Amino acid sequence: HIYDTVALSMNATPQKIIDLVSERQAGADGAMAKLIEDTVFGTVPSTTDTQTPLGLFYYLVGGAQGFNGLVPTGADSVAYTTVAGINPTTYPRFANWADVYVNVDKPDLVYKMRLAYIKCQFIAPMTVPSEGNGNDFAILSNSNVILPFEDALDAQNDNLGQDLAKYAGQTTFRRTPIQYVPVLDDNAVYTDPVFGINWGKMWFAILKGWDMNEAPPHVVSNQHTVQAVDKDLVWGLKCLDRRAHWLITK
């Protein structure tokens, strides 16, 4: 983030209205979060790209029903030969569950989600305290999937009262919330994807010492009253077991 030291002086106590530095810092952190979200749910990088972090569409690949999520295709339209250095053709167990649906309804998408739950051994959250099993499940999708699910909940409940959207934002599947991911509304990889993620088998790896590492302020070139603060994050998405996840697409 950047700030003008003259503006800081003009906004100093007792005239101070807001903390300009904190406001700029919050804006920069928000931009960083948006960049990470776009990367995680974005197009798979080119096969020659060694800088862009690999997202979910690298590890989870669409396909016909079964553990048929093999290798992704990069932004250069070239298919990868391995995933995380492992060739799923040579090691077929290193593949995610995949399926294809047409309609967002119980006979089609809901049934295939039920099947994916069984095949990937998803376990619904415990209703009583426990030591846990190392799993952390999430279902992620876009508005084209979530809104019809909410309509289905409304249709099967006869006691909605005066609330026209009683179940908006409260849709669950086997007690696991279905979370809305805005980026998936416009993703260019698959149409209306539905992810089943076990965050206990996939996580963000951050290089030690580079977790939002903030450098001291420095003067911006040719703007001697303006200072910039650089913040760096070196991260990557790591998948331990692809069979613990599923991706259902149109």
Side-chain angles (χ1 to χ4, degrees):
H1 61 275
I2 63 174
Y3 56 88
D4 192 323
T5 55
V6 175
L8 290 182
S9 297
M10 295 174 65
N11 192 52
T13 305
Q15 292 82 15
K16 184 174 182 178
I17 299 175
I18 62 173
D19 188 327
L20 286 178
V21 174
S22 295
E23 185 270 337
R24 297 293 174 85
Q25 188 173 40
D29 289 345
M32 173 78 83
K34 183 64 169 62
L35 176 61
I36 293 172
E37 181 184 37
D38 290 344
T39 303
V40 170
F41 295 99
T43 303
V44 180
S46 165
T47 53
T48 59
D49 185 347
T50 59
Q51 298 297 317
T52 305
L54 301 168
L56 284 177
F57 285 118
Y58 171 78
Y59 288 107
L60 305 185
V61 181
Q65 186 178 96
F67 285 102
N68 293 316
L70 300 178
V71 294
T73 298
D76 54 357
S77 299
V78 176
Y80 281 76
T81 57
T82 64
V83 176
I86 299 175
N87 188 328
T89 302
T90 305
Y91 301 96
R93 289 188 59 83
F94 195 64
N96 64 272
W97 180 267
D99 211 336
V100 178
Y101 73 98
V102 176
N103 301 311
V104 184
D105 57 20
K106 286 189 175 181
D108 194 357
L109 178 56
V110 174
Y111 176 83
K112 288 168 181 174
M113 290 172 65
R114 291 167 57 199
L115 181 61
Y117 244 70
I118 295 171
K119 295 296 185 178
C120 295
Q121 299 181 24
F122 262 48
I123 302 173
M126 301 292 290
T127 56
V128 295
S130 70
E131 294 182 357
N133 54 11
N135 296 322
D136 182 10
F137 300 108
I139 300 175
L140 313 174
S141 193
N142 64 9
S143 59
N144 290 335
V145 171
I146 293 177
L147 292 179
F149 277 165
E150 292 177 353
D151 290 342
L153 283 176
D154 288 343
Q156 71 183 24
N157 192 307
D158 297 327
N159 187 29
L160 295 179
Q162 297 176 325
D163 194 335
L164 291 175
K166 184 174 183 178
Y167 295 104
Q170 301 181 39
T171 307
T172 62
F173 182 80
R174 292 195 173 184
R175 302 198 304 277
T176 301
I178 302 177
Q179 301 175 35
Y180 172 56
V181 179
V183 179
L184 292 179
D185 279 337
D186 302 309
N187 94 89
V189 185
Y190 296 107
T191 301
D192 300 337
V194 184
F195 285 99
I197 305 293
N198 182 347
W199 290 117
K201 307 297 182 183
M202 183 182 302
W203 59 86
F204 289 89
I206 299 175
L207 182 64
K208 184 177 180 180
W210 292 93
D211 184 1
M212 303 298 278
N213 181 49
E214 187 172 299
H218 61 88
V219 176
V220 175
S221 177
N222 297 322
Q223 300 182 66
H224 67 279
T225 65
V226 178
Q227 296 202 345
V229 177
D230 297 318
K231 184 175 289 188
D232 296 286
L233 172 67
V234 181
W235 66 277
L237 196 60
K238 182 177 181 179
C239 182
L240 179 64
D241 182 4
R242 296 181 76 198
R243 292 177 72 88
H245 317 278
W246 43 272
L247 174 60
I248 304 176
T249 61
K250 272 192 173 180

